[in-house]
Amino acid sequence: MGWFSKLLLPGRLRTGPTALLPARPDPKTLLAVAQLADPEARTDGDDILAGGSRIQSPVELTGDVLAKLGVPDEDRLWACRIAAEGPLPVDFFDKSLAEGIAYRLGGWSLCQGEPLDPAEDGGDPLVYLPAVPEPEEILPILRGLLGLVEAVDTEQWPEGELVDGVVHVPVRRGRVADVYAGADVLVTIEEGHRMPPAAQTRWPYLTEIAIARVSPVARREETRGEDAGHAGAASGEAADGPAEDVTSAAAAESTPDAGTDVEEAGADASEDPLIAAGIVDGDMVREDDKRVELVGRAAIAVTLANGLRGIAADSRGFQLVEPADVLPGGYA
């Protein structure tokens, strides 16, 4: 690379979504990761084509360039820039592609000059479905998965009905069709989403799909006292965002609360004698709790996908074969 190209490199990496990785990725590994987002991803010379985007071959970055990019405490990273092939990718797929690659390979994501550690936000697991499932289809699968509810909280779910320990709320407003709430987990069924590449491969004859979003039920406690339809409309608005049909910005903003909710549901750190004595790292315990909670929700997504013949995916549209696939750094 010539000196002029090196001079322009930081600006090029800032403008387009870029995955910054701790080691040069093996081409076969990088292709396997890309195929989780687009099963038809393929190599093109040294690059990879996936979902209307080009994953450019890795470029080594040293400390001076990383400092210009605003990435702290790193001496060397490998950059894979994501560029659009032809028209801009639908729903900012290139951005979610960069984040998903960085998430699985233990790196950073860079978009519009802002570095992001995707591992700090696992997001909500998703299930792509060809159509909104009928309650009699999904309720037998959800029974016992969400945490049993003994009675409907009419203040939170005024239109809810209790079916075998699951609260079913038929919203039918905006994009949200149904909500299924348990004691611990909430499944929101949203319709009218554009087709992500993974779904296009499975259902090439469809023009839109439904999505089941698996989130912590505690995230909705702030809406207690409001109409259930209002909560559903909020979910629909989040789904309408151009970049977040698959990546779910609303979920991304809320995910840190999940760790807090898990912590409050268990024991406070100050009440744990091992943490108080400094024997166990409290931050590590909370991080482990978040990982367990995320894998648990991914297990529900995988179970739903198997039962409804759908596709389980993470918040960035990368397919999940097993629940543990939702954890960061799986391909590092």
Side-chain angles (χ1 to χ4, degrees), residues 95-151:
K95 180 176 182 291
S96 62
L97 191 60
E99 290 182 4
I101 291 171
Y103 188 81
R104 276 159 179 75
L105 293 175
W108 295 69
S109 171
L110 183 68
C111 187
Q112 295 180 340
E114 185 174 341
L116 167 72
D117 182 0
E120 295 180 355
D121 169 29
D124 287 335
L126 309 172
V127 182
Y128 300 146
L129 300 168
V132 174
E134 295 296 329
E136 52 267 25
E137 293 180 87
I138 191 172
L139 280 168
I141 303 173
L142 293 177
R143 187 181 299 123
L145 289 179
L146 310 184
L148 292 179
V149 176
E150 296 182 357

Side-chain angles (χ1 to χ4, degrees), residues 125-127 145 212 214 296-307 311-313 320:
L126 309 172
V127 182
L145 289 179
V214 186
R297 289 190 286 126
I300 294 173
V302 171
T303 302
L304 277 176
N306 291 337
I311 301 172
L320 306 176

Side-chain angles (χ1 to χ4, degrees), residues 264-279:
E264 292 173 353
D268 186 86
S270 62
E271 297 174 358
D272 190 320
L274 295 179
I275 296 177
I279 299 173

Side-chain angles (χ1 to χ4, degrees), residues 129 131-143 145-147 149 156-157 160-172 176-190 211-218 220 228 232 235 300 304 308:
L129 300 168
V132 174
E134 295 296 329
E136 52 267 25
E137 293 180 87
I138 191 172
L139 280 168
I141 303 173
L142 293 177
R143 187 181 299 123
L145 289 179
L146 310 184
V149 176
Q156 184 175 12
W157 309 114
E161 57 176 343
L162 188 63
V163 183
D164 295 331
V166 177
V167 178
H168 172 219
V169 185
V171 180
R172 307 293 174 181
V176 178
D178 291 286
V179 173
Y180 298 91
D184 307 310
V185 178
L186 191 73
V187 175
T188 306
I189 310 295
E190 304 167 6
I211 287 180
R213 195 180 304 277
V214 186
S215 56
V217 75
R220 303 299 178 116
S235 298
I300 294 173
L304 277 176
L308 298 173

Side-chain angles (χ1 to χ4, degrees), residues 231-283:
S235 298
E237 291 169 4
D240 283 333
E244 316 311 338
D245 265 357
V246 174
T247 59
S248 180
E253 293 171 0
S254 305
T255 300
D257 294 341
T260 305
D261 297 332
V262 171
E263 177 188 353
E264 292 173 353
D268 186 86
S270 62
E271 297 174 358
D272 190 320
L274 295 179
I275 296 177
I279 299 173
V280 175
D281 188 326
D283 291 336

